[in-house]
Amino acid sequence: MAARDYGQYCGITQALELVGERWALLIVRDLLVGPRRYGELAAGLPRIPSNILAARLKELQEAGVIRRAPRSRVIVYELTPYGRELEPVVLALGAWGFKALGEPRDEQIITPAAMTMTLRTAFRPEVAADLPPTAYAAHVGGDGLVIQVDGDTLDVTRGDAPVDLAFAAGPVILRLISGELAPERAIATGAVEVLHGRGDLLDRFASTFHLAA
């Protein structure tokens, strides 16, 4: 029996019974970025109590959404093929929720996984296809992401790599993606700091990644 039983025979209610509990979709979000060890999941969701994380992982496994898998002598959690079918759902929810974000509260953070999924949601392959291949390094909240755009292909990873533009920003990066903050003004006001590379490429970044607010 699901923790939530709505008593209705419907695909939407069944989906909510499988992934509608608090934190469940955020676990799915993080696993869409890649497999994670238990500790990595906990670190990416700093407010989740350990007993709730353990319960959600168990429920998602029982639902066939995720599975445990051995990786180099450690156990990781990963999405099953059935679980990966949630990707367009998560991206659509992200775009829908983006419209109601408002200003960030002081205690709110942007995790690398959250930023990665925001970039996937905002990516405009039809725009990128007409632009030269470009690599960016975005440092958001101290964490670095390498964003490689080649035609209509997007690859986002953590770490370091040669890039055309490296920049640092806080949650204001979402205003850049929404179009509320122009790239030139973002640099001029210090909202976005160019670390190295061509600052004018921030305009290309804003064209490539856009979500309506």
Side-chain angles (χ1 to χ4, degrees):
M1 178 68 69
R4 289 183 178 181
D5 183 357
Y6 295 96
Q8 295 188 20
Y9 190 63
C10 161
I12 294 175
T13 54
Q14 183 64 27
L16 287 174
E17 288 176 8
L18 295 178
V19 297
E21 290 294 323
R22 191 178 185 198
W23 297 104
L25 273 179
L26 292 183
I27 292 171
V28 171
R29 178 201 68 185
D30 285 11
L31 292 180
L32 281 167
V33 177
R36 294 285 187 272
R37 291 177 292 179
Y38 181 93
E40 291 171 330
L41 284 169
L45 302 168
R47 288 197 174 189
I48 190 171
S50 58
N51 63 317
I52 298 298
L53 176 57
R56 293 294 171 268
L57 290 172
K58 181 181 178 182
E59 292 160 3
L60 290 170
Q61 286 179 82
E62 291 173 348
V65 175
I66 69 173
R67 62 191 172 203
R68 284 161 51 96
R71 291 286 189 279
S72 302
R73 299 184 181 180
V74 299
I75 298 296
V76 300
Y77 293 89
E78 65 182 12
L79 292 169
T80 63
Y82 181 51
R84 290 208 68 84
E85 291 178 17
L86 284 166
E87 181 166 11
V89 178
V90 172
L91 294 178
L93 274 174
W96 183 73
F98 190 89
K99 298 176 182 179
L101 269 181
E103 292 297 316
R105 299 189 299 274
D106 290 341
E107 73 276 13
Q108 289 183 310
I109 62 172
I110 300 178
T111 66
M115 191 67 229
T116 297
M117 293 305 292
T118 297
L119 290 168
R120 288 188 190 176
T121 305
F123 182 55
R124 299 201 287 179
E126 71 282 1
V127 172
D130 294 329
L131 296 171
T134 312
Y136 309 91
H139 297 265
V140 181
D143 292 294
L145 293 175
V146 175
I147 306 158
Q148 295 178 309
V149 180
D150 189 353
D152 59 1
T153 301
L154 169 67
D155 184 49
V156 183
T157 57
R158 295 181 71 174
D160 296 307
V163 297
D164 302 294
L165 169 64
F167 64 88
V172 72
I173 191 174
L174 299 187
R175 292 184 60 212
L176 187 68
I177 290 173
S178 71
E180 297 172 270
L181 180 63
E184 299 83 0
R185 180 159 180 77
I187 294 173
T189 60
V192 173
E193 178 187 0
V194 175
L195 301 176
H196 61 81
R198 291 170 45 198
D200 62 295
L201 289 177
L202 193 64
D203 186 69
R204 184 183 299 177
F205 175 90
S207 297
T208 304
F209 300 94
H210 178 74
L211 279 173

